[in-house]
Amino acid sequence: MVLVTISIQVYWNIQNYKTNKQQILNTVQNALENSINNYYNDKARSNMNPHIVIKAQRISNEIQPNSNSDTILLYEKPEKEKYLIFNDSINPSRDSLLDSKKIKFLAEKTLMSIREINIDLKKLSRYLNSEFKNKNLDFDYALLYQRKGQIASKYNNPGNRDFVFSVLSKSSYLPPQSELKILFPDIFFKTLKVGLTGILISSIFSLSIILCLFYLLSIIQKQKQLAIIKNDFISNISHELKTPISVVSSALEGIEKFNTDNEPEKTKKYVTISKLHLSKLHQLIERILETSALESNELHLQKSNTEVIDLVTHIIEKFSIHTKKKITMNSLQSYIYILIDRFHFENVISNLIDNAIKYGGNEIIINIEQDDKSLNIEISDNGNPIEKLHQQKIFDKFYRIPQNNIHNEKGFGIGLYYAKNIISKHNGTLELIAKELTTFKISIPNG
């Protein structure tokens, strides 16, 4: 569709260009003819011959003009008497026949063109300049007058290589066996200027269609990506839900079928396992509900003045129990207080550390500092860097870096989305910094 649209518009512009080019050539032709006419008009006025005999009559069979329109003919009888015969093949009694002054003027102009074999091109150029000005033609030109195939006179160097276009005069006032040619430069940009409005409209129209088509293509691709993400999310969450349900079901079945002696210790063990997995299931549901609340703007933060160093230390101790990876915290300050929602901020830090443990290297480093403007926390790991293709998408809801449908690590793609939105609600920023280490940086303004 894009190619067809562009082809149609290109074809239309080419045809429009050709039409405008021919229009300019016709304008030059018209300017040249008017200039020749004015040239002979002025000559006729200054050289009126009072001895011309004017007769208005029907032409005899011995003289036949080659035109059906009004014509002035001049011929000589043997006794050298000159006659002007006006042919009116339509109506010989028209008022124009009685206007002897007009006939005499036209006759003088005709005689002038017959009598003079040379043309003053410099004088003719003055008429042509005036015509060019009236017709908004602003390019240089040259004139070449030829008689019997030989150059009789020229004006403004007709041999100039820049003069690639030419127009030949068709005026009937030129002397017999002569021709007058006007030469001028390439009119490509002049033609474009004439058709600029049409070209702009065509370009805007074409660009609009192309943008709409690409926008449609973008929507289709996004829908395709959403379908993939949706299927991935359903697969992940099904896996997450199936595990605690299976464990709880097995525990209940153990109590029902394998605890016939009513052993309190075994019952307590089964109940503890069930409570643990039900708690995980509850956390999963809560996280999904919190994500939904973020989108509907129903989540309201309960901010309080919180000591950050102690909070992060508590989170590190909690994760250190379940991982062999080294987690270290660096800070030049012993105490840092800031106004935050403790519960959601703790979830953000926990999500980032949990991701570093799951997908990062063997060492996790947390740097905390507070300056005059903001609190800055960087959580880095020495694992494989995230490809540029995924760096901007990892904060999208349900987005997970493709692993060829292999789920070695649990998760369903809302942790970073949740973290970024919580930090945004604190008027801060969460960004991925691509350095030697994979680093997530949190910045929250003081106060």
Side-chain angles (χ1 to χ4, degrees):
M1 179 62 77
V2 170
L3 291 176
V4 169
T5 301
I6 293 175
S7 299
I8 292 174
Q9 294 303 314
V10 168
Y11 174 79
W12 184 86
N13 282 325
I14 290 174
Q15 296 303 314
N16 189 40
Y17 172 82
K18 291 180 178 179
T19 301
N20 292 332
K21 179 180 177 181
Q22 188 59 49
Q23 182 181 354
I24 293 176
L25 293 176
N26 292 340
T27 303
V28 174
Q29 178 89 51
N30 183 257
L32 181 60
E33 306 302 349
N34 289 343
S35 299
I36 294 173
N37 187 47
N38 293 334
Y39 173 82
Y40 281 109
N41 279 346
D42 286 353
K43 267 193 169 294
R45 288 191 184 96
S46 61
N47 295 278
M48 288 292 289
N49 191 341
H51 302 294
I52 293 179
V53 179
I54 301 171
K55 292 185 179 181
Q57 63 181 44
R58 286 303 236 173
I59 296 178
S60 62
N61 292 333
E62 58 184 287
I63 302 176
Q64 292 293 339
N66 294 323
S67 174
N68 293 325
S69 60
D70 298 345
T71 309
I72 295 288
L73 293 181
L74 174 66
Y75 75 100
E76 296 184 9
K77 286 188 175 182
E79 58 272 21
K80 305 296 183 182
E81 183 179 10
K82 295 180 180 180
Y83 288 88
L84 288 172
I85 303 175
F86 187 89
N87 174 37
D88 181 9
S89 58
I90 301 174
N91 184 3
S93 62
R94 290 186 306 174
D95 293 340
S96 60
L97 290 173
L98 303 178
D99 193 346
S100 61
K101 289 184 178 180
K102 290 183 179 179
I103 297 174
K104 190 172 183 178
F105 175 71
L106 185 56
E108 182 64 39
K109 189 162 63 171
T110 305
L111 286 172
M112 190 67 63
S113 66
I114 295 174
R115 191 164 55 233
E116 293 192 6
I117 62 173
N118 290 323
I119 300 177
D120 187 348
L121 296 183
K122 187 173 182 180
K123 183 176 180 180
L124 178 62
S125 68
R126 291 198 289 269
Y127 298 104
L128 199 52
N129 290 338
S130 178
E131 288 290 328
F132 269 35
K133 184 177 180 181
N134 292 336
K135 298 180 185 301
N136 294 320
L137 300 174
D138 55 357
F139 45 78
D140 293 333
Y141 63 89
L143 296 172
L144 181 64
Y145 177 58
Q146 293 178 305
R147 183 167 174 76
K148 296 181 180 182
Q150 301 295 323
I151 297 177
S153 59
K154 55 185 178 180
Y155 171 79
N156 198 20
N157 189 16
N160 190 336
R161 292 184 178 180
D162 292 336
F163 297 145
V164 294
F165 283 90
S166 64
V167 170
L168 189 64
S169 173
K170 300 178 181 178
S171 176
S172 59
Y173 295 116
L174 291 176
Q177 297 181 329
S178 66
E179 64 178 29
L180 179 62
K181 185 187 295 184
I182 181 172
L183 302 96
F184 47 95
D186 190 354
I187 55 174
F188 175 77
F189 292 105
K190 178 71 175 177
T191 306
L192 286 183
K193 186 178 180 181
V194 171
L196 185 61
T197 301
I199 292 174
L200 287 176
I201 293 174
S202 171
S203 300
I204 292 173
F205 176 73
S206 300
L207 186 61
S208 299
I209 293 178
I210 293 171
L211 289 176
C212 289
L213 290 173
F214 276 108
Y215 178 69
L216 179 62
L217 179 62
S218 175
I219 291 176
I220 293 173
Q221 289 178 337
K222 287 180 179 179
Q223 293 293 332
K224 185 178 179 179
Q225 291 175 354
L226 285 175
I228 295 173
I229 292 172
K230 181 193 70 175
N231 293 333
D232 190 38
F233 172 73
I234 292 174
S235 176
N236 291 332
I237 202 169
S238 298
H239 177 75
E240 292 289 323
L241 292 173
K242 185 183 293 186
T243 300
I245 291 174
S246 299
V247 172
V248 172
S249 298
S250 299
L252 292 175
E253 185 179 359
I255 293 174
E256 180 183 9
K257 295 182 178 181
F258 303 104
N259 192 22
T260 55
D261 297 334
N262 193 20
E263 301 178 44
E265 290 296 327
K266 186 178 290 187
T267 301
K268 183 179 179 181
K269 180 180 178 181
Y270 288 150
V271 170
T272 301
I273 293 173
S274 299
K275 288 176 64 177
L276 177 63
H277 284 274
L278 285 174
S279 176
K280 290 182 178 180
L281 184 62
H282 175 74
Q283 290 177 2
L284 173 62
I285 294 172
E286 283 295 322
R287 187 171 295 182
I288 295 173
L289 291 175
E290 286 172 356
T291 303
S292 178
L294 282 173
E295 290 187 337
S296 61
N297 293 322
E298 294 179 357
L299 182 64
H300 300 288
L301 302 180
Q302 303 295 325
K303 294 183 179 181
S304 61
N305 201 25
T306 305
E307 206 286 296
V308 176
I309 301 294
D310 180 65
L311 175 63
V312 175
T313 301
H314 172 72
I315 297 171
I316 292 173
E317 291 175 352
K318 182 176 64 176
F319 277 101
S320 297
I321 298 173
H322 304 287
T323 183
K324 295 180 180 180
K325 294 185 177 182
K326 182 180 180 182
I327 305 175
T328 58
M329 182 182 68
N330 302 316
S331 178
L332 297 177
Q333 294 131 306
S334 300
Y335 302 95
I336 296 177
Y337 286 90
I338 193 168
L339 192 64
I340 55 174
D341 184 306
R342 182 184 180 92
F343 173 76
H344 288 291
F345 188 79
E346 182 177 352
N347 286 341
V348 169
I349 302 298
S350 297
N351 280 335
L352 295 177
I353 296 177
D354 186 49
N355 284 343
I357 293 173
K358 288 179 179 178
Y359 310 111
N362 295 321
E363 185 176 1
I364 300 165
I365 303 170
I366 303 173
N367 295 315
I368 304 175
E369 67 173 357
Q370 186 179 37
D371 54 30
D372 295 337
K373 295 182 179 180
S374 62
L375 166 69
N376 300 305
I377 301 177
E378 292 185 355
I379 300 176
S380 307
D381 68 80
N382 60 348
N384 294 327
I386 299 175
E387 296 179 7
K388 289 185 178 181
L389 177 65
H390 307 294
Q391 287 180 7
Q392 295 299 323
K393 297 180 180 180
I394 58 174
F395 295 105
D396 295 344
K397 185 173 65 171
F398 304 138
Y399 186 84
R400 296 184 71 203
I401 297 176
Q403 302 288 338
N404 297 323
N405 206 30
I406 299 174
H407 305 289
N408 294 326
E409 298 292 346
K410 298 178 181 180
F412 34 89
I414 60 175
L416 290 176
Y417 172 80
Y418 166 82
K420 188 174 183 66
N421 278 273
I422 291 297
I423 297 301
S424 295
K425 284 184 174 292
H426 284 85
N427 298 319
T429 59
L430 171 61
E431 57 184 338
L432 172 63
I433 302 175
K435 294 181 179 179
E436 294 180 0
L437 302 177
T438 300
T439 303
F440 287 89
K441 181 179 180 180
I442 298 171
S443 295
I444 297 177
N446 295 327

